[in-house]
Amino acid sequence: MKSIFFHLMPYRDLPADFESRYESIWVTPPNTELCDPAKVAQYYDWNLDELELADRLGFDGVGVNEHHQNGYGFMASPNLMAASLARRTPNNSAIMVLGNTLALYAPATRVAEEFAMLDVLSKGRLAAGFPVGTSMDVNFCYGVTPTETRARFREAEELIIKAWTQPGPFIFNGKFNKLRYVNPWPQPLQKPHPPVWLAGGGSVETWDLAARRDYTYSYLSFFGAKFGKKLMDGFWNRMAELGVDRNPFRAGFAQLICVSETDERAEQEYLEHCSYFFNKCLHIPAHFMTAPGYRTRKSSEFAIRTNQPGELAAVAALEKNWKTLVDEGFIIAGSPATVADRLIELAKTLRVGNLHALLQIGSMPHELTKKNITLFAEEVIPRIRHMWDSEGWEHKWWPKGAANRSATRPAASQA
Amino acid sequence: MTETTSRATALPPHVTERLVPALAGRIQARVLVAGTGDPVLFLHGAGGLIWDPFLEALAAGHTVYAVEHPGAADTDALDQLPGIWELVLFYDEVLDALGLDTVAVVGHSFGGMVAAELAANSPRRVSRLVLIAAIGLWRDDAPIPDIAGVPASRMPELVLADPNSPLAELLTPPADDPQALFEAALRMASILHFVWPLPDKGLRGRIHRVAAPTQLVWGERDALVSPVYAEEFAGLLARSETVLIPDAGHLPQLEQPRLVQDAVLAFLDGPAE
């Protein structure tokens, strides 16, 4: 299994009464009241140090993503962070940008260009994430009409792939992107193009795209395998219907993880930061989650059937109930052995070969984050790295220039 | 679809439902028709098309054609209508299909915006224009709240002068029924499709073309679209009269039905100029 240290880059010092004083962590948390640029300068240093540490310690990849006006992740441009990482990850981890929110950019040529720059800069280590994007980012922060969200995503995806693979200049006559001359310099280093990693919260249309284009799909959930199972079962059932194989590397999952020396110690060290995450970082009112028209009828019907665990998570954290958080699977926490066992169980339950490990959680300070990363790298990764080897699948979506630390060893090299 | 059916079933017997093809048959307009007399086209707001007492009163002396905005039941229709320009052409075609060369147009809220756009696009087609709490213009000093960006529980206070009135039920689908919530969201989406993120799509630059005498009807306590917008419309229209309705918010025709019915009917039936 591939382990990617995925950093949300949250504000680590929100006021204690944040969730009662403000309506939302996203879209409207007033920037001059809550976001101190001097503090952010410190966070950015810590965040990048943490990601660079993960590279040195042998993670397979380092992950960043895009959000806007969001207190739990204010990486408005993940490409800026990825550019810095491309130059400071000597151990050749994959640079996983998960991703650029395609629907925001017209012309989407900009994404094709910046991702190509990153791929070249990192010598072919880019995994190009294409999320549909949240309603908060796309509709509320960037003013994209909700009913256009998916159409803009699909058209941008088409344009970007063409820009990477067709000789330029060419004409692109889309609905939202009308271009007489598409001819980005450079095209990416990886051929035919960097692997595309779709990321989503479970829309059925995204799965069909994954199947049709042979992309890998990551479900970015904060609520663990117990709740993710319905959704990932939906994903695999759809793949089966479409005649797609069961290669576990087609799928990824995000998981909040806390590693310590013992299970008891994990609770002592991490509980307050998990509480901070669920209470403050996920303080998002329902009306921002889905602007009318953001979800199609098809996806909405699936969402209604599988329902959302958000409130339960918040309640569990409010009670500072470590047992609930752990038992419900919102977090995987404990000694390295406990964490590894539960991750293997999770990966088998969901059938995922890519783990986006969320190891900096909420208010978690720099030193504790480094401990979490270090214990994970040194004592968890070796226990989970080869869990899929016996099935013999090829990871077709791993960036070609990145170190392939968890590949199945070919028979020849074992001789 | 079930929603459409249940609303259709709830229609009184003298109201007929017609499906009218538009855009070369790519979309069907759902039209409720009732009454006799000079034709009146009614265009509804974000709450959706409901046969309400206001339409009933209009139908007493007119043939009312109340058209459902496309996309309310199935957002696929919106793929055919990328913006307000295509929506106006859609209504122009619907009038052709209904055989109405000239017509009085009454529009509420978003329907008022579409009515004004239609009257600007086809000035010879619209004989009289009634704008009830219409959107379509923007003033920085009176921003129209984001109805998608507030909790559903706040809608009654934004929309009604008396948030405790029984009309509040119309505005808040049952919170424990995800399917009903989704159907309501789709109806809303079909409106927001044309006005996201701000209801300002350039009407200010086109409204001078409106030739019809226009009546502006506003609730004095409209917290969603402030009565300053009545002044704003009046300043841009060649011929208009303004009727402010006391103790009414954004749904004056339902909050103070008699006052609005009397004013609108008097205007529609007034002497030709």
Side-chain angles (χ1 to χ4, degrees), chain B residues 93-149:
Chain B
E93 290 185 26
V94 169
L95 290 178
D96 286 344
L98 291 169
L100 302 173
D101 282 342
T102 61
V103 66
V105 183
V106 179
H108 170 239
S109 192
F110 171 72
M113 172 179 171
V114 179
E117 291 279 9
L118 183 65
N121 181 68
S122 309
R124 282 174 289 280
R125 180 150 226 180
V126 178
S127 56
R128 285 173 200 257
L129 181 62
V130 178
L131 304 180
I132 305 171
I135 59 171
L137 301 175
W138 184 263
R139 280 176 52 158
D140 285 340
D141 64 345
I144 297 168
D146 178 11
I147 53 172

Side-chain angles (χ1 to χ4, degrees), chain A residues 3 29 35 40 43 45 50 64 86 95 114 136 154 156 163 165 207 216 228 232 259 263 288 322 373 394 410 413:
Chain A
S3 295
C35 182
V40 173
Y43 298 148
D45 271 343
E50 289 155 12
V64 290
I95 308 287
E114 290 195 359
M136 285 72 82
R154 282 194 300 269
T165 55
W207 300 342
T216 181
M232 289 310 296
V259 198
D263 294 357
F288 283 150
W322 180 258
I373 292 166
E394 179 196 357
S413 71

